[in-house]
């Protein structure tokens, strides 16, 4: 199983991150280690030695069959379910790595950094590019997004990734985070929603 993630895929988050509204020329792709996957409501253990760790709430897509060099018009045939995930980011470390022109692996791929919720069949939604999702922490909504605001749409992302990587059944794609990221702390209780359906729930320890 491979875990792909898309950076800078919501324009307001790009302003939040870098102080400017912009769209990358191509999707920004990075990967997360398979040991970063955290599922089944298990707690996230905050790695305090890494400094500030931020939540990034995202729609996650599950690949359902083998594909390579997939044309965008056929990309919808290659996924079968979506959920809410958290792309945890060691923000202080990320700033340091970006300033030095280094890869993001350490700040994005550490153990537990890819939280995943309960899968929902894609047929439950009218349009994958019209799904609202949000994250609550301790009962208050802290981040909201809609896939209609993605700079690169799901089918574009799949077509792009498959030019370089063979996609296999069970691979995951974190599709980017909207504006509103923030730090987590010990004893936080996180719940994630697709529309009004709760699909993610876990604690920070």
């Amino acid at each position: 199983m491979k875990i792909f993630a898309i950076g800078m895929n919501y324009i307001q988050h790009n302003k939040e991150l870098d102080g400017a509204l912009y769209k990358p020329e191509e999707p920004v792709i990075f990967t997360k280690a398979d040991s970063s996957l955290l599922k089944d409501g298990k707690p996230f253990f905050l790695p305090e030695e890494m400094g500030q760790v931020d939540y990034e709430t995202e729609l996650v897509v599950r690949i359902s069959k083998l594909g390579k060099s997939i044309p965008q018009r056929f990309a919808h045939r290659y996924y079968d379910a979506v959920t809410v995930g958290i792309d945890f980011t060691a923000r202080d470390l990320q700033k340091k790595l970006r300033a030095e022109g280094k890869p993001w692996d350490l700040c994005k791929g550490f153990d537990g950094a890819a939280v995943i919720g309960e899968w929902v069949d894609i047929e439950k939604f009218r349009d994958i590019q019209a799904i609202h999702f949000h994250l609550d922490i301790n009962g208050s909504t802290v981040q909201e997004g809609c896939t209609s605001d993605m700079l690169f749409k799901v089918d574009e992302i799949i077509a792009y990734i498959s030019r370089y990587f063979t996609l296999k059944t069970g691979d995951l794609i974190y599709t980017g985070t909207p504006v509103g990221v923030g730090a987590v702390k010990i004893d936080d209780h996180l719940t994630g929603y697709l529309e009004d359906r709760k699909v993610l729930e876990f604690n920070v320890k």
Side-chain angles (χ1 to χ4, degrees):
M1 182 200 66
K2 300 184 291 298
I3 303 173
F4 298 97
I6 312 303
M8 299 177 285
N9 201 29
Y10 287 81
I11 198 164
Q12 292 295 335
H13 172 62
N14 297 347
K15 182 177 181 180
E16 174 181 57
L17 194 63
D18 290 329
L21 298 171
Y22 65 92
K23 177 180 179 178
E25 293 183 6
E26 297 178 318
V28 176
I29 309 294
F30 60 94
T31 59
K32 296 166 83 76
D34 59 2
S35 59
S36 70
L37 192 65
L38 185 66
K39 58 184 181 178
D40 302 325
K42 294 178 180 176
F44 172 68
F45 290 94
L46 190 65
E48 293 182 308
E49 72 280 0
M50 297 183 75
Q52 179 175 319
V53 175
D54 285 1
Y55 59 82
E56 296 190 6
T57 313
E58 315 198 0
L59 183 86
V60 185
V61 175
R62 184 176 70 189
I63 298 299
S64 58
K65 66 177 182 177
L66 185 74
K68 172 67 176 174
S69 299
I70 301 166
Q72 184 176 326
R73 67 184 183 278
F74 296 138
H76 66 279
R77 301 177 181 176
Y78 287 82
Y79 52 90
D80 64 351
V82 295
T83 191
V84 168
I86 305 293
D87 168 24
F88 275 124
T89 304
R91 190 67 70 199
D92 296 334
L93 180 57
Q94 184 190 39
K95 290 175 181 177
K96 179 177 183 293
L97 293 171
R98 292 183 77 193
E100 296 173 356
K102 293 179 179 179
W104 294 4
D105 301 59
L106 295 179
C107 69
K108 290 281 195 178
F110 58 90
D111 288 354
V115 188
I116 200 78
E118 169 194 344
W119 293 107
V120 180
D121 194 301
I122 195 63
E123 293 182 359
K124 299 290 185 183
F125 302 96
R126 176 182 57 83
D127 183 354
I128 195 171
Q129 297 301 158
I131 299 175
H132 292 84
F133 58 96
H134 70 273
L135 177 72
D136 289 0
I137 297 183
N138 305 325
S140 298
T141 299
V142 295
Q143 192 175 20
E144 298 178 88
C146 183
T147 56
S148 62
D149 294 327
M150 287 180 177
L151 297 175
F152 298 99
K153 308 305 183 187
V154 171
D155 291 356
E156 290 180 80
I157 291 167
I158 288 173
Y160 184 81
I161 291 175
S162 71
R163 287 164 51 185
Y164 303 95
F165 299 91
T166 298
L167 291 174
K168 296 183 178 182
T169 301
D171 286 350
L172 307 179
I173 303 176
Y174 284 66
T175 57
T177 193
V179 69
V181 305
V184 291
K185 63 183 185 302
I186 292 173
D187 294 330
D188 278 345
H189 181 71
L190 281 69
T191 49
Y193 296 81
L194 284 178
E195 301 294 348
D196 58 356
R197 177 171 180 164
K198 182 167 68 175
V199 295
L200 179 69
E201 185 170 15
F202 68 100
N203 294 311
V204 178
K205 292 186 178 295

